[in-house]
Amino acid sequence: MKDEHREGLLDEKRLFYPPVGFSTKAVVQDPKIYDLGKESKEFWGEQGKRLDWFEQWDEILEWNHPFARWYAGGKLNAAYNCLDRHLNGARRNKAALIFEGEMGDRRVLTYQDLHREVSQFANVLKSYGVEKGDRVTIYLPMIPEAVIAMLACARIGAPHTVVFGGFSYEALRDRIQDSGAKIVITADGSYRRGKILSLKENVDLALKVKTSVEKVIVVQRTGLSANMEKERDVWYHEAIKEAPIVCAAEPMDSDDMLFILYTSGTTGKPKGIVHSVGGYMVGVATTHQWVFDLREEDVYWCTADIGWITGHSYLVYGPLANGATILMYEGAPDYPEKDRYWKIVEKYKVTILYTAPTAIRTFMKWGASYPLSRDLSSLRLLGSVGEPINPEAWMWYYKNIGGERCPIVDTWWQTETGMILMTPVPGITPLKPGSCTVPFPGVQIEIVNHLGEPVPKGEGGYLVVREPWPSMLKTVYGDDKRYADTYWGQFKGVYFTGDEAKWDDDGYFWIIGRADDVINVSGHRIGTAEVEGALVDHPAVAEAACVGRTHEVKGQAVFAFVSLKEGITIHDGLISELKAHVVVKIGSLARPDDIFLTAELPKTRSGKIMRRLLKDIAEGRTMGDTSTLADASVINFLKENVKPKK
Ligand code: WTA
């Protein structure tokens, strides 16, 4: 097993039961729900009824392995389900979105407001020729327009592809090109730790080469001057001024594409994960309501950026489909002070907080005095997502943020799964710190060995999903074969998650980490091949190999081994130059923490780089089997010279 810091977890015996006051009021109180979930098709058929459909489906699931069509024949619209259906009753004037900017500005949009703004913007998109099926790239900061833009696309049936604002112009360009987007929606800039970052500039650079983009719509967020190209660029506030406020929601086939979201895999090119309307919406609405125990009066805060799947499923689509009040914060957790999150919880009386282990470990490092100096008594449920949470961080979160009264839902899922697949259902599932507990009702998960055979309790192996689930990815954009090979080709008949896990004697699941060449840095998926590609793109580099090493706060950090081209002289700034090159090619999230220059990389006799050994070196642990090495002196050199950090 990889990542030794997860070893010994099965010794974690502490059990936390939901507080009585919590369970007796919970949305789900009856553990029988797990039995009902065993008949997954019927179970999901039942859940399908929670949405508004323009036309009823003919079949709950059409399964033509490995292609699923959920709610086949049904017609619906995601934006209609998030907005229109809430307008007839008391929710009409309920806050749908409470926004706080980093500089302290605030905006509240009721469901009616959001409906109007979405409809108007949908009309703007239509006026620029966007039709059902056309792709739209969204490259925006965490501002209400990001939600508006996503829902406007959904309303007219144009799949959006949101690109995280931290990605570089080259990464943005790749995604624009792969999706063939017609429109890019961006902002003049975004606030981060009091500074302004220009997004528009990146869009201009990305569009320097010929692409399919016809229009760039620019939200004025910071007042930073932006180069507006005549014909191509238009200000959002000007475009929307005269736009009509009525726009019918396009009836979409359940199986139509709702969005594409790019994520890293084993090979160099990020994959465009495609999600379809019907199954995705049923999956996220159901899990959002049950996992977060949603009540009408909740103030729900998911801290994830809109550029990641968590932002899609649990900031936008799930909560709004359920008529929740969502809180959205634009900026950094330590601006202007390290208590910003807790000030927000206190100010808006947040009841549900969903964040990532890396954030929790950062707060731990800053010290408990920040949360303890604020009134956090409104909180009643906490969530964690994106990477394994270590029991120590879990306990800290439980105690210092949750005041020992809030259950923690540790939710395991992926961009590809669209919805949470493993999690406690907080009113009924006892918690174990560090475990994502058990599969959600209606989801069939197993751990198998390398032959694909289920392993007994107490053992570990590869995490697979045995039956299709509603919000599973439909395909990889433009590449059905890659979809079939990557996810369904490893073990016969089942979906392979790419993760390794164990299960204990109680049947609780413990995620170990990725089994493939994906590194999870602060909950962000980074493909080693992508970083290696960025490094060898630098003129001085001959070869590069990257591995993930354990990092106290980020979970993992990128450690790169680089060999230089013949004749290159090493100078003082070279390492920083190489790191900066990765930032330009991908974005700062992929910047290696360590780069070690070496004359050679350890290879097998057939020339394959032995990453396993490099990982041992980066982690500073005893080396595994070295017998297949072509030249043992390479590894001996590395062993003696690399000083691993923790
Ligand atoms: C990891 C994020 C342990 C896992 C929603 C998975 C987790 C990858 C957890 C997907 C968790 C996510 N415990 N590991 N609760 N949640 N992961 O696509 O390795 O950005 O395969 O989706 O994150 O990352 P992605």
Side-chain angles (χ1 to χ4, degrees):
M1 283 294 163
K2 299 186 170 183
D3 297 310
E4 283 173 348
H5 69 294
R6 299 287 290 169
E7 286 293 330
L9 272 179
L10 297 191
D11 301 334
E12 177 61 62
K13 295 269 187 287
R14 283 172 287 192
L15 257 192
F16 291 80
Y17 288 90
V20 177
F22 189 98
S23 323
T24 50
K25 285 199 216 120
V27 176
V28 181
Q29 299 180 9
D30 191 348
K32 256 207 250 100
I33 202 77
Y34 284 114
D35 291 331
L36 289 177
K38 285 186 184 142
E39 299 298 325
S40 27
K41 212 158 115 176
E42 289 65 32
F43 175 84
W44 289 114
E46 204 45 45
Q47 297 312 318
K49 296 180 191 159
R50 59 172 68 233
L51 296 186
D52 282 17
W53 297 80
F54 297 141
E55 271 176 46
Q56 179 61 24
W57 61 83
D58 305 317
E59 251 195 274
I60 301 169
L61 170 65
E62 236 180 64
W63 182 223
N64 182 13
H65 182 89
F67 297 97
R69 290 184 66 220
W70 280 92
Y71 311 103
K75 279 192 189 292
L76 79 166
N77 182 284
Y80 183 94
N81 273 282
C82 289
L83 301 170
D84 305 49
R85 67 174 180 149
H86 303 312
L87 299 186
N88 294 327
R91 281 186 187 150
R92 186 158 60 113
N93 290 318
K94 175 178 176 176
L97 173 60
I98 301 174
F99 166 76
E100 181 162 303
E102 198 184 66
M103 308 309 279
D105 51 321
R106 192 165 71 99
R107 236 174 113 187
V108 179
L109 293 159
T110 63
Y111 271 95
Q112 191 159 247
D113 291 334
L114 193 57
H115 176 262
R116 186 181 56 251
E117 299 227 8
V118 166
S119 303
Q120 275 189 296
F121 192 56
N123 281 325
V124 169
L125 292 175
K126 274 186 171 173
S127 73
Y128 293 136
V130 180
E131 291 175 3
K132 182 176 167 180
D134 287 341
R135 278 82 57 217
V136 173
T137 298
I138 299 176
Y139 186 61
L140 280 173
M142 286 285 285
I143 53 175
E145 284 79 4
V147 179
I148 294 167
M150 287 166 79
L151 292 174
C153 289
R155 192 162 192 87
I156 60 174
H160 52 70
T161 138
V162 184
V163 178
F164 173 55
F167 276 120
S168 71
Y169 78 85
E170 291 203 22
L172 172 65
R173 179 190 287 162
D174 289 346
R175 287 155 176 77
I176 289 172
Q177 285 179 325
D178 189 79
S179 62
K182 200 169 190 177
I183 304 265
V184 177
I185 305 162
T186 190
D188 52 356
S190 75
Y191 292 105
R192 191 74 190 175
R193 276 196 192 90
K195 291 207 186 75
I196 296 178
L197 310 176
S198 169
L199 289 174
K200 175 65 167 58
E201 227 169 78
N202 278 351
V203 173
D204 290 343
L205 289 168
L207 299 183
K208 271 227 152 81
V209 298
K210 197 172 159 34
T211 66
S212 46
V213 173
E214 293 169 12
K215 274 263 172 260
V216 177
I217 305 174
V218 189
V219 178
Q220 198 166 41
R221 170 66 189 142
T222 60
L224 191 70
S225 79
N227 155 55
M228 298 293 278
E229 230 160 86
K230 242 176 131 187
E231 309 291 321
R232 191 194 70 186
D233 300 352
V234 42
W235 288 105
Y236 179 98
H237 60 276
E238 281 172 10
I240 207 162
K241 221 174 352 191
E242 303 297 330
I245 61 169
V246 178
C247 174
E250 183 77 29
M252 304 287 285
D253 284 343
S254 175
D255 192 39
D256 278 337
M257 194 183 348
L258 176 60
F259 64 83
I260 308 171
L261 184 61
Y262 286 85
T263 190
S264 297
T266 312
T267 55
K269 211 171 137 244
K271 294 175 286 213
I273 303 299
V274 175
H275 281 289
S276 34
V277 189
Y280 175 80
M281 288 300 290
V282 173
V284 298
T286 310
T287 45
H288 180 262
Q289 191 199 28
W290 289 6
V291 175
F292 297 102
D293 187 49
L294 188 74
R295 299 182 201 153
E296 200 58 50
E297 65 279 10
D298 275 316
V299 177
Y300 166 87
W301 183 17
C302 166
T303 66
D305 192 281
I306 220 106
W308 308 113
I309 192 68
T310 307
H312 283 59
S313 301
Y314 298 108
L315 179 70
V316 180
Y317 289 110
L320 294 178
N322 289 330
T325 295
I326 60 175
L327 191 124
M328 183 181 197
Y329 169 57
E330 177 186 35
D334 56 350
Y335 190 81
E337 292 297 334
K338 295 189 172 73
D339 65 350
R340 184 64 185 267
Y341 272 24
W342 319 123
K343 260 174 117 163
I344 291 175
V345 169
E346 181 180 73
K347 180 167 168 193
Y348 299 100
K349 305 225 178 316
V350 172
T351 56
I352 304 170
L353 174 69
Y354 191 30
T355 193
T358 187
I360 298 162
R361 290 191 293 261
T362 306
F363 298 138
M364 269 173 88
K365 216 172 72 177
W366 291 343
S369 61
Y370 293 103
L372 294 180
S373 65
R374 296 283 160 191
D375 177 8
L376 307 182
S377 60
S378 57
L379 287 170
R380 63 180 195 87
L381 181 72
L382 303 173
S384 171
V385 60
E387 51 179 316
I389 180 164
N390 44 315
E392 195 195 349
W394 195 101
M395 287 306 304
W396 190 91
Y397 194 29
Y398 187 73
K399 218 171 135 208
N400 295 293
I401 309 302
E404 298 184 42
R405 67 176 186 281
C406 308
I408 297 180
V409 289
D410 176 1
T411 62
W412 178 92
W413 58 297
Q414 311 178 293
T415 306
E416 293 87 341
T417 70
M419 67 183 224
I420 294 166
L421 291 193
M422 284 200 284
T423 176
V425 175
I428 55 176
T429 320
L431 314 169
K432 291 190 188 187
S435 164
C436 57
T437 71
V438 292
F440 188 78
V443 175
Q444 325 296 339
I445 292 197
E446 263 174 14
I447 300 176
V448 299
N449 63 18
H450 67 284
L451 299 172
E453 301 155 347
V455 302
K457 283 184 180 165
E459 289 187 17
Y462 302 103
L463 193 70
V464 301
V465 191
R466 190 149 291 287
E467 299 283 338
W469 64 99
S471 55
M472 60 189 271
L473 73 164
K474 179 184 157 107
T475 188
V476 171
Y477 187 65
D479 202 343
D480 283 350
K481 185 173 174 324
R482 191 170 176 200
Y483 161 73
D485 292 349
T486 311
Y487 301 106
W488 300 89
Q490 313 256 355
F491 300 106
K492 204 169 174 303
V494 296
Y495 168 91
F496 178 42
T497 61
D499 277 14
E500 285 180 59
K502 291 181 176 182
W503 63 331
D504 66 17
D505 293 336
D506 300 329
Y508 273 50
F509 287 74
W510 302 79
I511 303 296
I512 308 291
R514 299 288 303 191
D516 53 13
D517 292 326
V518 171
I519 306 178
N520 193 329
V521 181
S522 300
H524 301 147
R525 271 165 74 168
I526 316 264
T528 47
E530 280 172 69
V531 187
E532 288 160 8
L535 285 166
V536 296
D537 180 76
H538 188 281
V541 175
E543 263 190 316
C546 296
V547 295
R549 74 157 169 89
T550 309
H551 187 283
E552 204 186 347
V553 174
K554 298 196 270 192
Q556 284 189 301
V558 179
F559 195 123
F561 295 85
V562 167
S563 69
L564 298 177
K565 283 186 184 146
E566 199 95 18
I568 297 284
T569 39
I570 300 175
H571 59 89
D572 278 352
L574 184 61
I575 300 275
S576 330
E577 207 181 280
L578 295 178
K579 288 185 183 177
H581 196 69
V582 174
V583 175
V584 170
K585 299 300 284 187
I586 308 175
S588 50
L589 68 167
R591 182 196 285 116
D593 270 37
D594 313 85
I595 293 185
F596 188 83
L597 300 177
T598 170
E600 301 269 357
L601 293 172
K603 291 186 184 157
T604 60
R605 284 177 203 105
S606 57
K608 236 177 125 286
I609 296 175
M610 294 192 69
R611 272 167 222 287
R612 186 173 47 78
L613 294 183
L614 289 175
K615 180 146 173 118
D616 288 341
I617 297 221
E619 299 275 21
R621 62 183 175 221
T622 330
M623 201 94 55
D625 181 14
T626 55
S627 60
T628 51
L629 269 176
D631 177 359
S633 66
V634 176
I635 207 80
N636 288 335
F637 168 79
L638 292 173
K639 212 162 67 181
E640 276 156 30
N641 290 283
V642 176
K643 304 264 170 290
K645 286 177 261 181
K646 283 286 167 206

